[in-house]
Amino acid sequence: MKPSHIEHIGIAVKSLDSAIPYYERLLGTPCYAIEEVKDQRVKTAFFKVGQTKIELLESTDPEGPVGKFIEKKGEGIHHIAFAVNGLEAALDEIKESGIQLIDQQPRKGAEGLHIAFLHPKSTFGVLTELCEDKNK
Ligand code: CMX
């Protein structure tokens, strides 16, 4: 497995409305998409920085993954996502190496990407996402 680039960095925020103006100023570029991912109980906002994106995550449910993260750790970097070709094969390889998968199979994430998460307990404390854009 060899990721091509960092697809995005996910940042947990309490409020998209509060955080978006800061990132628009910092990055000098407008937020280009806002999308709710219902099964993840988040609302997301995206910015482009070169090949990489910043994904802001606002929880829509205190019991969802981002709601629980903010309650426990506060706002901040939530996950890092790597772009791969051949996500299924990458997951098989990772599983064989003993790393714990959260998602055994790829599923649909924001922006129509196929995604899967690796558990932070077996990735040195960093919630890690692998994603594949099947349209590329
Ligand atoms: N980064 C690092 N560590 C994290 C973490 C994160 N984002 N979220 C939780 N943890 C840690 C917790 O602090 C806890 O550690 P301790 O046991 O040392 O306290 C451990 O992981 C287990 O946490 P938990 O609260 O018992 O378990 P949760 O029910 O919160 O589940 C996790 C944690 C990672 C399995 C869950 O959040 C998950 O499945 N995440 C993947 C999906 C996701 O994050 N979706 C939101 C983004 C969606 C998108 O980008 O579209």
Side-chain angles (χ1 to χ4, degrees):
M1 182 183 105
K2 191 166 185 221
S4 56
H5 61 285
I6 294 174
E7 211 283 334
H8 66 266
I9 295 171
I11 299 175
V13 299
K14 288 182 183 162
S15 155
L16 289 185
D17 285 347
S18 303
I20 285 172
Y22 164 73
Y23 278 95
E24 288 189 329
R25 226 173 292 127
L26 178 77
L27 303 174
T29 186
C31 164
Y32 72 87
I34 293 184
E35 181 183 344
E36 183 166 356
V37 185
K38 286 215 163 110
D39 69 327
Q40 292 298 304
R41 292 172 280 174
V42 289
K43 239 167 65 182
T44 63
F46 284 95
F47 302 84
K48 285 201 178 104
V49 190
Q51 238 192 322
T52 301
K53 298 163 193 160
I54 296 292
E55 177 188 35
L56 302 182
L57 297 155
E58 178 190 299
S59 176
T60 56
D61 177 352
E63 290 306 313
V66 172
K68 283 168 80 176
F69 177 88
I70 287 185
E71 174 66 27
K72 209 165 184 178
K73 302 192 188 215
E75 294 175 301
I77 294 182
H78 179 261
H79 66 267
I80 183 162
F82 295 100
V84 295
N85 285 320
L87 181 54
E88 283 92 347
L91 291 179
D92 287 344
E93 191 183 323
I94 283 168
K95 205 172 174 177
E96 267 170 37
S97 72
I99 294 167
Q100 190 187 338
L101 302 180
I102 293 173
D103 300 297
Q104 305 299 317
Q105 299 292 332
R107 59 183 172 78
K108 277 275 177 76
E111 301 204 297
L113 297 180
H114 291 242
I115 66 163
F117 281 93
L118 317 183
H119 202 288
K121 285 288 171 198
S122 63
T123 57
F124 303 90
V126 179
L127 177 60
T128 303
E129 178 181 347
L130 300 181
C131 43
E132 181 171 31
D133 186 348
K134 297 258 191 189
N135 296 316
K136 277 191 181 160

